[in-house]
Amino acid sequence: MPPSDTARHLVDHRFLAAVKPGAVLVNCGRGGLVGLDAVRDALLAGRLSGVGPDL
């Protein structure tokens, strides 16, 4: 079942701006919960040091 509209991209640019620099994001939920554009930007900026997506 796809995530609801309120849960879609729950992990977004604003969420990732609040994590400690160098954090690792592991998504064990539905793939739609994480905004992949936001994750890409956080990785490129060094905000995230790694990601384990559930696509």
Side-chain angles (χ1 to χ4, degrees):
M1 174 186 299
S4 68
D5 288 340
T6 56
R8 179 167 286 294
H9 296 170
L10 187 63
V11 177
D12 58 7
H13 286 93
R14 187 168 71 172
F15 179 95
L16 293 171
V19 302
K20 291 182 180 182
V24 175
L25 174 67
V26 178
N27 177 22
C28 297
R30 299 274 185 204
L33 295 176
V34 176
L36 296 180
D37 289 342
V39 170
R40 179 201 60 226
D41 293 347
L43 283 166
L44 291 174
R47 191 88 189 144
L48 290 177
S49 62
V51 62
D54 178 12
L55 303 172

